[in-house]
Structure formats: structure tokens, C-alpha cells
Amino acid sequence: MAEQKRYRSIIDVHVILERGGEILLLERRGTGYCDGMLHLPSGHLDDGEPVTHGAAREAFEEVGVRIDPDALRLAAVVHHRQHPDLARIGFFFAASRWKGEPYNAEPHKCGKLLWTDPAILPSNTIDYTAAGIRAYLTGAPLTLHGWDGT
């Protein structure tokens, strides 16, 4: 009897840095994926890495701030279907405390940083990112995005 292949999904971590009623977005540049669009500090989880540590690592790599993984609050989980044969699970964490002032730590991947009102996202915000931010604002613990028209 052949062993059935188990489903696997890419795990993403996203960080919502909160300050004065605004959140920080980054403009993608030079990556070949959604260049010119806005997203949160985010990335893929590394093998064997807890999600909170991955989120803190990505925030440091992209915007130079140090966040204690224990200070991250789970804001939402988004199960995102990128296309028919690829899905992702995104953990969106919120942080109101960190060390350092955010700056563009990856200018080869980022055009600029933008503090914005999360309730009025710019039109060029990536849909997947916007779905996570909407879930954060409404308190929805789980959001499906890209499945059957969602």
C-alpha cells in the first residue's frame, strides 16, 4: 500500500508594528513579487523556528527593530490560497513595544517605509496583507483568503 503524501503549506510570519494609532508598511522593490505594493515586515518561517521567534527575526531583518518574542500578540491567522496549487498560512502578530527606531534595513528589497492608519489602507496594499490587517482590526482569529472567492 502506497503511503499518502501529507499536505504541506508555507508558513509566513507578519508583524504589525503599532504606534500612535498607525501601523508600519513597507514598499516592495526589486523582488519580482508585488514590487511597488505595500506589506508588513514579514517573511517565511525557518525550519525548526517557533513562529514568535520568526516574526521577531523578520522585524529585525527588515526594519532593524528588536522585539522580544514574548511581547508579540497573536492578532490573526490567515489561510491564504495564492493559486490553486499553493497555499500559505500567515501568522499576524502585533507589537507595541520594541527596541530601536524602524528604518529600511533592506534597501535592495524595500523602497520606503510608511506609517499609516490601518483602517484606511493605501490601495496598493497586497490583498493577503490587507486581509490580515482587517482581521487584526475586527478581532477575527481566523480568516480564509483566496478560497472560493474570499
Side-chain angles (χ1 to χ4, degrees):
M1 182 180 219
E3 185 176 324
Q4 184 177 348
K5 187 176 178 181
R6 292 190 181 264
Y7 171 78
R8 299 200 186 274
S9 186
I10 295 170
I11 305 296
D12 298 321
V13 290
H14 307 259
V15 179
I16 301 169
L17 294 177
E18 308 165 317
R19 180 165 72 185
E22 295 183 320
I23 63 170
L24 184 67
L25 296 175
L26 293 70
E27 181 187 63
R28 297 185 63 88
R29 180 178 74 185
T31 68
Y33 173 75
C34 291
D35 289 334
M37 297 191 75
L38 300 170
H39 72 113
L40 296 164
S42 62
H44 305 115
L45 190 65
D46 287 346
D47 188 25
E49 182 178 45
V51 291
T52 51
H53 290 247
R57 174 185 51 77
E58 287 292 345
F60 178 72
E61 289 175 3
E62 295 192 0
V63 295
V65 297
R66 294 200 181 273
I67 303 172
D68 179 343
D70 293 334
L72 291 166
R73 301 180 324 275
L74 182 61
V77 176
V78 177
H79 194 192
H80 168 66
R81 188 172 191 191
Q82 193 160 341
H83 41 78
D85 62 344
L86 178 63
R88 313 170 90 81
I89 298 173
F91 288 86
F92 288 72
F93 293 96
S96 56
R97 296 185 337 260
W98 59 83
K99 292 181 182 171
E101 180 62 26
Y103 69 95
N104 184 355
E106 293 184 324
H108 58 290
K109 293 182 181 180
C110 176
K112 65 182 176 183
L113 306 183
L114 173 71
W115 288 98
T116 189
D117 180 340
I120 309 170
L121 292 174
S123 62
N124 62 331
T125 304
I126 295 172
D127 286 343
Y128 172 30
T129 303
I133 294 168
R134 281 191 302 273
Y136 151 77
L137 289 173
T138 63
L142 174 65
T143 296
L144 301 179
H145 182 260
W147 300 89
D148 298 328
T150 59

